[in-house]
Amino acid sequence: MSAQVSRIAEIEAIPLRAAPVDPSDLDGSVETIVVRITDEDGRQGIGEADAPSRIVRELVLMDDLFDWSRGLRNALLGADPFEIPALHRTLYEATIYHGRRGLGIHALSAVDIALHDLVGRQLGRPAYQLLGGARREAITPYATIWPGGVKGRTIDQMMEAIAAQLRRSLELGYRAVKMEVVFGDLVSDRELVECVHEGRRLIGEDIVLAVDFGYRWRDWRAALWTLDRVEDCDIFFAEATLQHDDLAGHAKLAERVKTRVAGAEFAATVHECREWLERGRVDVLQPDVNRCGGLTELRRIADQAALHGALVVPHGWKTGITAAAERHFQAATENAPFVEFLVPELYASPLRAELVRPEPDVRDGTIHLPTEPGLGVELVEEAVTKYRVD
Ligand code: MG
């Protein structure tokens, strides 16, 4: 098969926001920034970043300042999109003065996802084939159970909300769930142990259960106390136990508990994830494709994790673009047993529900490998018009 070179002709950065925004909650899917790349033949690829949309837009569209501080759009125009890892390196170096971690990498993530979509469409092949090809037979999402912030509710009311979402997830066919027990001062650690046991009782023994503790502890021994007492709940991983930057604490915890310790959801680049593996000693890395550097970087992170005997189960709480990108990542990755899934039927998240089509079918807890070119989802123009904020 020979493909004609079709160079990059345009790059757009489109900020979208759905009302109402609630700064006291933890829902990052209320806003997004879509990067759309068009080639000379009019084909388009889309990506997104989970970071403040106006700032990412500026990082994409900004004027070049000097050779290490360029706008991503300027650095991409006229390029052949096909050699994505080389292009990723070029963009990293063209933005390294201002962008080498954090927001700069978030912006690069959106571009990299869009390049995978575009090149897949140029070749007529699903994006996971650009990541090395299928390493599994189906996608296995886990449904995140997020009852929302406490906001004056009692623990019984919180657990009722969790129970309702757990029931709905099982009805929808999910076989893996993650319970968010982000209760703060509403419960003691001893009461929290009961909540986790209640979660396991509600779903039975056959469903995979992960738990997100929402950065509850600053003392690894307190985290250890709790994890020891929920060992019989067969938790697949314990997420966000200690503070994100407390790698020494994570290492001490991971050494002592039987449960897999997970972290790194805010991490950008393979370099930060390396710290989590070598100093933090975690069993599960959770970088998000839309923040860590895109599919190219997530591939490198997973390969590095494999050398450390670790798993990668990416964070994902944005629109259907991120959900699609993570399906392609998992399709091509052996040490990624699950990907996080914002289940559109469980949450009133307009951008997640409306921005792209089609939504994949979940049957018996799995999703078929993607077959359509690129990411396999199309931007819904009416939704773009409705939510656009620039
Ligand atoms: Mg989380």
Side-chain angles (χ1 to χ4, degrees):
M1 166 152 110
S2 80
Q4 290 287 331
V5 171
S6 183
R7 293 180 183 278
I8 293 173
E10 189 50 280
I11 300 102
E12 302 159 87
I14 307 164
L16 303 165
R17 179 177 283 200
V21 169
D22 177 0
S24 73
D25 210 307
L26 276 176
D27 181 7
S29 74
V30 293
E31 185 189 80
T32 194
I33 172 89
V34 173
V35 168
R36 180 162 57 187
I37 304 179
T38 306
D39 73 13
E40 290 169 329
D41 297 299
R43 284 172 296 235
Q44 295 187 317
I46 52 173
E48 68 176 338
D50 196 347
S53 64
R54 288 181 178 86
I55 300 170
V56 172
R57 181 174 181 274
E58 183 62 23
L59 290 170
V60 174
L61 302 181
M62 66 181 255
D63 293 336
D64 294 340
L65 293 176
F66 59 98
D67 200 30
W68 292 338
S69 191
R70 302 186 60 194
L72 288 164
R73 177 177 179 275
N74 288 332
L76 273 170
L77 281 173
D80 173 1
F82 185 74
E83 296 176 359
I84 299 175
L87 207 44
H88 191 281
R89 190 72 196 171
T90 298
L91 296 174
Y92 180 74
E93 290 173 357
T95 57
I96 199 161
Y97 209 75
H98 65 265
R100 58 186 278 280
R101 299 289 184 273
L103 276 163
I105 299 301
H106 303 161
L108 178 51
S109 304
V111 168
D112 183 83
I113 294 167
L115 287 171
H116 281 85
D117 190 24
L118 175 63
V119 172
R121 288 167 193 271
Q122 288 185 344
L123 298 173
R125 287 169 173 268
Y128 74 80
Q129 295 188 344
L130 303 171
L131 299 171
R135 308 308 293 266
R136 59 182 63 249
E137 291 180 354
I139 308 303
T140 45
Y142 76 75
T144 294
I145 304 303
W146 169 240
V150 174
K151 296 174 194 162
R153 285 182 285 179
T154 65
I155 187 60
D156 287 347
Q157 289 170 325
M158 294 299 286
M159 288 305 294
E160 275 167 31
I162 285 174
Q165 286 186 12
L166 285 171
R167 275 195 300 275
R168 185 81 181 110
S169 304
L170 301 191
E171 280 166 19
L172 291 166
Y174 291 89
R175 306 289 295 164
V177 296
K178 182 177 78 187
M179 189 163 82
E180 304 259 348
V181 293
V182 189
F183 302 146
D185 295 340
L186 194 59
V187 291
S188 65
D189 285 355
R190 196 175 292 281
E191 290 163 330
L192 186 63
V193 167
E194 280 316 302
C195 294
V196 175
H197 277 95
E198 175 65 9
R200 170 51 84 191
R201 271 195 297 275
L202 286 165
I203 59 175
E205 287 177 6
D206 296 336
I207 302 297
V208 173
L209 173 66
V211 178
D212 184 343
F213 291 95
Y215 303 102
R216 181 174 178 84
W217 294 288
R218 291 170 190 276
D219 168 9
W220 66 266
R221 286 197 181 274
L224 176 65
W225 187 93
T226 304
L227 290 187
D228 276 349
R229 281 157 184 79
V230 296
E231 206 175 84
D232 57 337
C233 295
D234 191 20
I235 294 173
F236 189 82
F237 62 70
E239 170 178 338
T241 50
L242 298 161
Q243 304 309 294
H244 197 272
D245 290 325
D246 180 11
L247 296 182
H250 277 89
K252 288 174 182 171
L253 185 62
E255 235 167 64
R256 288 165 175 85
V257 294
K258 288 196 179 153
T259 306
R260 295 177 189 87
V261 174
E265 66 180 344
F266 303 146
T269 78
V270 72
H271 308 293
E272 286 189 358
C273 287
R274 179 183 177 185
E275 294 290 302
W276 276 86
L277 292 167
E278 295 184 357
R279 291 210 294 124
R281 316 281 296 171
V282 295
D283 306 289
V284 181
L285 292 177
Q286 302 176 289
D288 193 314
V289 68
N290 63 36
R291 279 203 302 253
C292 76
L295 285 163
T296 298
E297 197 73 6
L298 197 51
R299 163 89 278 144
R300 297 173 70 198
I301 290 166
D303 289 345
Q304 179 188 230
L307 296 177
H308 287 79
L311 305 175
V312 176
V313 180
H315 172 275
W317 195 266
K318 209 67 182 171
T319 77
I321 299 172
T322 291
E326 294 196 340
R327 290 195 291 277
H328 287 273
F329 163 73
Q330 201 206 7
T333 309
E334 286 170 3
N335 58 328
F338 300 99
V339 286
E340 182 168 23
F341 202 63
L342 197 178
V343 179
E345 294 93 337
L346 283 183
Y347 306 94
S349 179
L351 291 174
R352 173 67 183 88
E354 297 172 35
L355 190 61
V356 299
R357 288 194 197 109
E359 189 60 31
D361 284 334
V362 180
R363 295 235 175 100
D364 297 325
T366 64
I367 298 169
H368 283 303
L369 289 191
T371 54
E372 297 302 309
L375 294 179
V377 292
E378 307 293 331
L379 210 50
V380 177
E381 289 302 332
E382 305 86 76
V384 173
T385 306
K386 183 172 165 190
Y387 295 114
R388 191 162 185 158
V389 286
D390 57 342

